[in-house]
Amino acid sequence: CVHIPMCPYGCHAYVISPKGAAKLLRRCKDGASYHVDVVAWGLPNLRIYAVHPLLVHQSNLDTTIGGLHNTNAGREQHQQNKLKGICDSYTGFNLIWALNAPLLRVGGNMAPWLLLTNGRAIFLMVLGIVVSVSFQSKPMLILTAVYVASIVVVIRILTSAQ
């Protein structure tokens, strides 16, 4: 069954026509400065179709996201995480992998500790809200709101087609 997906994230397998590839290259002429699927799916008038049942499943094994490398230790860790974090048995969506996906890295490989992942971003947001409510701190709530707004703005800038 071919259908139009509601949320078409995950570029683990796709078919693209030469005309479609040329259109993507033209509209993303400077490349994707963020997750390529998020950038591509944000393009207006992009026709995207999906099939059911899935023809391909993403394993996330061949990635360095979350510290997994294509090594025996990485494969073993992946299998353990896969068993722990599967939220959707149909797609194989893994919450542990998703929380470790990078949002923003400052300083490249020279400063890997300046890596903001989905999980860290959510943790800091929740922590800010909990602290501001617990201590009835309006400045902390404002600081948390500024943090969330700045992350949203940066992601919007990075995902816009250039």
Side-chain angles (χ1 to χ4, degrees), residues 28-86:
C28 296
K29 59 183 173 277
D30 295 328
S33 55
Y34 194 65
H35 297 275
V36 68
D37 53 348
V38 177
V39 173
W41 307 155
L43 296 172
N45 303 322
L46 185 67
R47 292 186 303 173
I48 302 169
Y49 302 97
V51 295
H52 174 75
L54 291 176
L55 301 175
V56 177
H57 292 271
Q58 188 170 355
S59 72
N60 302 321
L61 180 59
D62 240 353
T63 183
T64 57
I65 294 174
L68 297 174
H69 298 280
N70 198 7
T71 63
N72 286 337
R75 285 187 196 96
E76 289 171 16
Q77 182 67 41
H78 171 73
Q79 290 304 320
Q80 291 172 4
N81 285 348
K82 185 176 176 183
L83 295 174
K84 292 183 211 171
I86 296 294

Side-chain angles (χ1 to χ4, degrees), residues 4 7 31 35 51-52 64 69 89 92 95 108 110 130 136 138 147 149 151-152 156:
I4 297 173
C7 186
H35 297 275
V51 295
H52 174 75
T64 57
H69 298 280
S89 59
L95 184 60
M110 298 300 289
V130 167
Q136 297 178 348
K138 191 173 181 179
Y147 161 75
I151 294 296
V152 169
R156 286 296 209 174

Side-chain angles (χ1 to χ4, degrees), residues 122-160:
I122 293 168
F123 172 77
L124 290 173
M125 179 184 65
V126 170
L127 180 65
I129 292 170
V130 167
V131 168
S132 63
V133 168
S134 297
F135 293 100
Q136 297 178 348
S137 171
K138 191 173 181 179
M140 185 61 181
L141 186 59
I142 292 169
L143 182 65
T144 302
V146 168
Y147 161 75
V148 172
S150 63
I151 294 296
V152 169
V153 167
V154 168
I155 290 172
R156 286 296 209 174
I157 290 168
L158 291 175
T159 58
S160 65

Side-chain angles (χ1 to χ4, degrees), residues 23-32 161-162:
K23 181 191 263 186
L24 280 175
L25 286 172
R26 243 187 350 269
R27 294 177 73 193
C28 296
K29 59 183 173 277
D30 295 328
Q162 301 167 354

